Amino acid sequence: MKVTIEERALEMGGKYLTELRSSNDILEDTEALRVRLKEDGYLFIRGFHNRERVLSARMEFLHKLHAMGLLDQEAPLEDGVLAEENKGAMWGGSAEELQDDFPDFLEVVNNPSVMSFFDRLLGGESMTYDYKWPRAVAHGGNTGAHYDVVYMGRGTKDVYTMWTPFGDIPLELGTLAICLGSQHYNRIKQTYGEMDVDRDNVATGWFSEDPVEIVETFGGRWATTSFEAGDVIIFGMYMMHASLNNTTHRYRISSDTRYQLASEPVDERWIGRKPKGHYAWGKTPQKSVADARKEWGV
């Protein structure tokens, strides 16, 4: 099967793209999970969340999209079919700001079972950023390859992203893809990985929109899979990731949420009742990624 990331068509099982490895076989072995997270750079866990709770949260997002006029009014609500405008949606905000519209969503990502998992994985009391990033990706939408550290690197670097799909997401709907081995791209980590988008004002913050260029230049291989409601993938700040293009006319609904030890420094942009978020990025003319990469020599 062929899928696309930006302009590139990649063959599943080919040179550039393979399947994610499940960690369900070691889910109860904390030390094995830590070893795998260090070696592979990610943990892919099927059925991590309660499926019915995830599907209930999905309906919250669909009702919101309907109220915004972004759904095809002739199609069943639960199908999430795009209206002709083909617009995406992003509802970033704190738990307090999202509570009225998306209580079931917050129950999923802030659930005691999630927090206890991170307590166990990280070896201490964990916390989650107050700010959450739920989104609905429209037809043709995707995300370029990037490290999360460039957006949230002012506290500890031991922050972990949990990507949660809200619904069953086959490849054609635009699944998340991980670049295996990219946590060891030392030259990129020492240049691009030191960037802060609010300080440096580099457009998009993405390192590249060409997945083949990354593999050919720096090594590794991309990995993804079809996701089901309840599945998650967890990875660190220096794991290059992107998403496949959504080639359907249905919304891909997913969220990014972050977790770390409560005892470690926290990026102040993403905590509090009303986090300030990105306060300077994009407020003045931006430097292109191409120009920044020339300066970095990567």
Side-chain angles (χ1 to χ4, degrees):
M1 178 181 180
K2 284 193 174 182
V3 299
T4 54
I5 299 180
E6 283 292 339
E7 302 299 320
R8 293 286 195 174
L10 307 180
E11 182 76 34
M12 179 60 80
K15 178 181 178 181
Y16 300 105
L17 186 65
T18 189
E19 286 273 351
L20 291 167
R21 173 161 69 150
S22 168
S23 287
N24 286 74
D25 59 320
I26 58 170
L27 192 54
E28 302 307 319
D29 187 337
T30 303
E31 188 53 38
L33 287 172
R34 292 171 180 163
V35 169
R36 183 165 294 180
L37 184 57
K38 183 176 181 181
E39 290 181 349
D40 289 2
Y42 73 93
L43 298 173
F44 169 50
I45 304 172
R46 291 204 179 275
F48 182 80
H49 299 303
N50 176 277
R51 178 178 173 85
E52 295 309 313
R53 189 178 290 133
V54 170
L55 293 176
S56 179
R58 170 180 169 77
M59 292 306 297
E60 292 179 334
F61 292 119
L62 290 173
H63 282 295
K64 188 68 170 179
L65 289 166
H66 182 270
M68 295 167 69
L70 297 180
L71 291 182
D72 182 343
Q73 305 297 308
E74 302 300 318
L77 179 71
E78 60 269 22
D79 289 351
V81 178
L82 293 147
E84 289 185 5
E85 290 80 0
N86 189 41
K87 292 181 180 179
M90 172 77 175
W91 300 284
S94 71
E96 181 175 311
E97 293 168 317
L98 297 173
Q99 179 64 45
D100 288 346
D101 287 331
F102 308 117
D104 289 342
F105 160 69
L106 293 172
E107 177 62 22
V108 171
V109 298
N110 289 345
N111 196 272
S113 65
V114 174
M115 301 312 300
S116 64
F117 175 83
F118 279 100
D119 289 350
R120 178 164 66 92
L121 181 68
L122 303 181
E125 182 185 355
S126 62
M127 62 164 288
T128 179
Y129 284 178
D130 296 301
Y131 197 99
K132 313 295 182 189
W133 290 260
R135 70 194 73 205
V137 178
H139 174 77
N142 86 310
T143 301
H146 64 281
Y147 285 157
D148 281 345
V149 72
V150 305
Y151 305 102
M152 52 198 68
R154 295 187 179 181
T156 178
K157 301 302 189 287
D158 291 323
V159 179
Y160 294 89
T161 292
M162 180 175 72
W163 187 80
T164 300
F166 285 87
D168 298 332
I169 301 186
L171 297 176
E172 59 268 24
L173 208 56
T175 55
L176 185 133
I178 294 288
C179 190
L180 304 177
S182 58
Q183 73 272 34
H184 304 306
Y185 290 166
N186 289 330
R187 180 60 181 157
I188 296 180
K189 289 169 68 176
Q190 293 163 6
T191 53
Y192 165 75
E194 293 293 321
M195 184 179 77
D196 179 305
V197 294
D198 281 301
R199 182 192 66 213
D200 302 319
N201 204 28
V202 175
T204 74
W206 299 346
F207 180 77
S208 175
E209 296 180 53
D210 186 346
V212 171
E213 178 239 351
I214 292 176
V215 172
E216 292 288 356
T217 306
F218 303 102
R221 195 181 186 194
W222 290 91
T224 191
T225 195
S226 294
F227 289 78
E228 296 180 357
D231 297 348
V232 300
I233 184 166
I234 294 165
F235 52 91
M237 291 291 101
Y238 294 100
M239 174 54 69
M240 192 77 72
H241 58 286
S243 71
L244 277 56
N245 298 357
N246 181 357
T247 60
T248 77
H249 289 278
R250 296 183 292 118
Y251 277 106
R252 187 208 83 196
I253 302 174
S254 61
S255 76
D256 307 307
T257 47
R258 272 80 194 195
Y259 306 83
Q260 66 166 77
L261 283 173
S263 60
E264 295 190 343
V266 185
D267 190 324
E268 78 286 351
R269 291 171 291 186
W270 309 113
I271 58 171
R273 292 178 60 245
K274 293 187 177 182
K276 66 181 177 181
H278 291 305
Y279 58 89
W281 188 32
K283 299 296 193 296
T284 57
Q286 295 178 308
K287 180 185 295 184
S288 72
V289 175
D291 286 344
R293 286 185 60 175
K294 287 178 184 178
E295 293 177 8
W296 299 326
V298 290

